[in-house]
């Protein structure tokens, strides 16, 4: 038997770590940022860029959910806590999944709203996903100490 996790196991752990993430806060943050960004584009000289505003909202939504999940590893049920500790021990692997989610959400925005071609939209969505990946991984590394504090705690329900 191998101690290596399969890709399916990693997806399950990342999903469990995101269970109980601050979804409402993330939605409000992303929606507010998108509205303010677009609103400022309308008010200030220049043009309002709906694609930029929506992409900014998606990036902030993804960051708030991912960072909110790993910032408090002691919260949640036993499985969620263990998954969050895994995410803190493997920040680069964990960060891949919120980044892929952000890129998947940005792709139709780039394709439909911005009117880019299939490859241009994919490239722009990939750039946004890379930004989410790097920021999430960096912040998970910062929060890594919190995981060490709670590693020795009992996992009773």
């Amino acid at each position: 038997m191998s101690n290596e996790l399969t890709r399916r196991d990693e997806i399950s752990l990342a999903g469990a770590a995101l269970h109980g993430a601050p979804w409402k806060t993330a939605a409000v943050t992303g929606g507010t940022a998108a509205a303010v960004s677009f609103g400022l584009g309308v008010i200030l000289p220049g043009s309002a860029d709906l694609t930029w505003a929506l992409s900014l909202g998606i990036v902030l939504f993804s960051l708030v959910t991912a960072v909110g999940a790993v910032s408090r590893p002691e919260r949640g049920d036993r499985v969620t806590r263990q998954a969050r500790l895994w995410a803190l021990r493997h920040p680069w692997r964990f960060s891949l999944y919120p980044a892929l989610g952000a890129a998947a959400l940005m792709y139709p925005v780039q394709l439909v709203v911005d009117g880019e071609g299939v490859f241009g939209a994919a490239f722009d969505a990939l750039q946004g996903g890379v930004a989410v990946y790097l920021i999430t991984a960096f912040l998970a590394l910062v929060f890594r100490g919190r995981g060490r504090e709670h590693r020795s705690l009992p996992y009773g329900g």
Side-chain angles (χ1 to χ4, degrees):
M1 289 222 128
S2 174
N3 284 340
E4 291 293 316
L5 294 175
T6 65
R7 184 66 62 190
R8 176 181 271 172
D9 294 336
E10 287 183 2
I11 292 170
S12 295
L13 283 168
L18 289 168
H19 179 75
W23 294 101
K24 290 178 186 176
T25 303
V28 169
T29 302
T32 301
V36 168
S37 176
F38 187 72
L40 286 176
V42 171
I43 294 170
L44 298 176
S47 64
D49 190 355
L50 182 60
T51 304
W52 166 254
L54 292 173
S55 294
L56 176 66
I58 291 168
V59 165
L60 288 177
F61 171 79
S62 300
L63 288 173
V64 169
T65 56
V67 173
V70 296
S71 67
R72 300 191 181 211
E74 74 281 358
R75 291 200 176 168
D77 61 8
R78 182 183 60 82
V79 173
T80 302
R81 288 192 308 261
Q82 288 178 339
R84 288 178 178 173
L85 290 174
W86 171 85
L88 289 170
R89 286 190 303 268
H90 303 94
W92 296 103
R93 290 182 188 171
F94 167 73
S95 298
L96 181 63
Y97 300 102
L100 289 172
L105 291 172
M106 281 187 265
Y107 180 73
V109 169
Q110 297 291 335
L111 187 65
V112 177
V113 176
D114 204 27
E116 290 191 30
V118 174
F119 296 110
F123 182 72
D124 286 347
L126 182 64
Q127 285 179 330
V130 167
V132 169
Y133 177 72
L134 293 174
I135 294 168
T136 302
F138 174 76
L139 292 174
L141 283 169
V142 169
F143 290 127
R144 207 174 207 175
R146 293 181 183 196
R148 288 189 188 115
E149 293 171 9
H150 299 287
R151 190 174 297 165
S152 62
L153 292 178
Y155 287 110

